[in-house]
Amino acid sequence: MSIKINYKNNLSNKKLANLVLFLNEDFNLTSLKKHVNSSEYSFISDLLKTKDLKQRILTFDISSKKKIILVSLEKNLSNSKVENLGAKFYDKFKNLKQNEFVFNSDTIPNKLKNLIGYFLHGLKLKSYKFDKYKSKKNKNNLSIYIAGKNKPSLKDQIKFNAIEEGTFYTRDLVSEPGNVLHPDEYAKRLNSLKKDGLKINIYDEKKLKKLDMNTLLGVGQGSIRGSYLVTMEWNGLNDKSKPLAFVGKGVCFDTGGISLKPAKFMEDMTYDMAGSAVVVGLMKSLALRKAKINAVGVVGLVENMPGGNAQRPGDIVKSYSGKTVEILNTDAEGRLVLADALTYTEERFKPKFIVDLATLTGAIIVSLGSEYAGLFSNDDKLSNQLINAGENVEEKVWRMPLNKNFDKLIDSKNADMQNINYVGGAGSTTAAQFLQRFILNKTPWAHLDIAGMAFSKYGGALNSSGATGYGVRLLNKLIEDNYE
Ligand code: BES
Ligand code: ZN
Ligand code: ZN
């Protein structure tokens, strides 16, 4: 897949490329008169009589090679609808032999300022494919030339590109199989993000032991790979003001450990590091677009394996916070990784807020499917900001309850708490309630359970099947709208 966008003005040598024109949904062609020659104009107006005008993208074959493409714009177009239209455009034309397109941006009604920007953003997001391990690559290349004056500003171009690159980086990480992207390899890749201007700190097992991060270490101890905590700092304000903090679950593969998962669909657990991948993709895009904020990303990287040295059900471990946890099920491991990461993030960075992301529970898929991530939070303001950002970029969240009445379900007889609720029910809430115990200083905190969102077997509006990158655009929007 490769999409080439060209903003050069002289397009006299592109007469044979497909011509893309925009018009209002009433298909009032007179506005197009000055943009096509008279025979093309009468050709289109004749053909329009026979076409289904409800279709958003209409094509007319001018010759065996060249098409005129009409994109109709409905009255109340949101940015997100424009993105979807761009994605639809990609799907419709990705297999065309004549793959050069000239977009006449002068045909866009004036009030739709950034239409080209959002249209191409959707188109590019949709075009992503993970075909690294295919010997035969599918070449769906499009070359797009933008003619006319209605172009995105340089600043917007940089912003869109940064978000695309961040999202693609997240999708790449999530798509990698467990034998390639184990914690050692993951930590190495994160180290390479220094080139984008991020400050990277890698804590390996030796350092984590010194710090007493035993709930994180316990999860990884059955694996031949290492366990890591990695911090990524972006100091866009060049001052010491409090950063925004993002924390991610990075379980590179979740077998369940000694509480082994059943074989069916266990392969899906290669995406159990998606929370961390969103944090990484977000940090990358903040750096690429030189966002005017301070932010820190913190990820816990482990592999949850059974083995001679693996953690046992019944083990009791002491977390970085000092609180003790009885491990009743080694498959409830994400919360153990996050527990240490959350306390450390709060104490070390004293952030304005913490948002964590994790493919934490199967139960959230039962409640919300693949439409909403579950949101659990101790802060109404942060929650509303996330809900609004989600509606805006079509990466939606739905707020679920936290309540001290759930606490009795995770209190343990032998330790301060246990890592599962034995009574049953409220699986996602008890997991979130567990996490909340590791926020020690009342920092505004939100937990996003993205188990149903990180991966899509069927694809969505802006992604083909596979890793979705859900969360990168949501958090970029949260930052852009409220903190920049
Ligand atoms: N990684 C899983 C959650 C998950 C399930 C993510 C399906 C994506 C798709 C998590 O570590 C887990 O195994 N959770 C258990 C918790 C249970 C043992 C309390 C679950 O959801 O069954
Ligand atoms: Zn698990
Ligand atoms: Zn897991």
Side-chain angles (χ1 to χ4, degrees), residues 249 251 254 261 269 272 331 333-334 359-360:
K249 167 179 174 181
V251 176
D254 180 13
K261 283 182 182 297
M269 287 302 107
D272 211 21
D331 196 13
E333 84 298 339
T359 48
L360 204 64

Side-chain angles (χ1 to χ4, degrees), residues 14-25:
K14 294 293 165 205
K15 292 225 162 60
L16 286 177
N18 301 306
L19 179 60
V20 181
L21 307 168
F22 297 86
L23 76 171
N24 280 326
E25 65 182 336

Side-chain angles (χ1 to χ4, degrees), residues 362-434:
I364 203 69
I365 309 177
V366 177
S367 338
L368 302 174
S370 300
E371 283 305 318
Y372 293 86
L375 160 67
F376 302 82
S377 178
N378 62 6
D379 191 87
D380 291 344
K381 185 175 146 215
L382 180 57
S383 294
N384 290 331
Q385 289 172 346
L386 280 162
I387 290 167
N388 289 336
E391 293 289 340
N392 227 300
V393 299
E394 275 293 314
E395 291 193 340
K396 300 193 290 301
V397 301
W398 193 264
R399 193 166 182 189
M400 307 279 280
L402 287 168
N403 190 296
K404 64 177 173 12
N405 291 353
F406 291 106
D407 273 337
K408 57 182 175 294
L409 299 172
I410 50 170
D411 287 334
S412 154
K413 280 200 198 81
N414 305 312
D416 295 336
M417 66 194 98
Q418 58 194 33
N419 77 330
I420 59 162
N421 153 23
Y422 252 149
V423 179
S428 308
T429 290
T430 44
Q433 201 74 29
F434 181 96

Side-chain angles (χ1 to χ4, degrees), residues 175-195:
S175 304
E176 286 284 16
N179 63 328
V180 175
L181 196 81
H182 45 69
D184 300 330
E185 166 66 17
Y186 200 167
K188 233 187 252 163
R189 287 199 195 180
L190 296 190
N191 200 37
S192 78
L193 293 178
K194 283 177 180 160
K195 69 172 188 309

Side-chain angles (χ1 to χ4, degrees), residues 256-277:
I258 296 298
S259 314
L260 193 64
K261 283 182 182 297
K264 202 170 174 195
F265 301 135
M266 198 204 272
E267 68 277 10
D268 286 352
M269 287 302 107
T270 187
Y271 77 77
D272 211 21
M273 33 57 72
S276 68

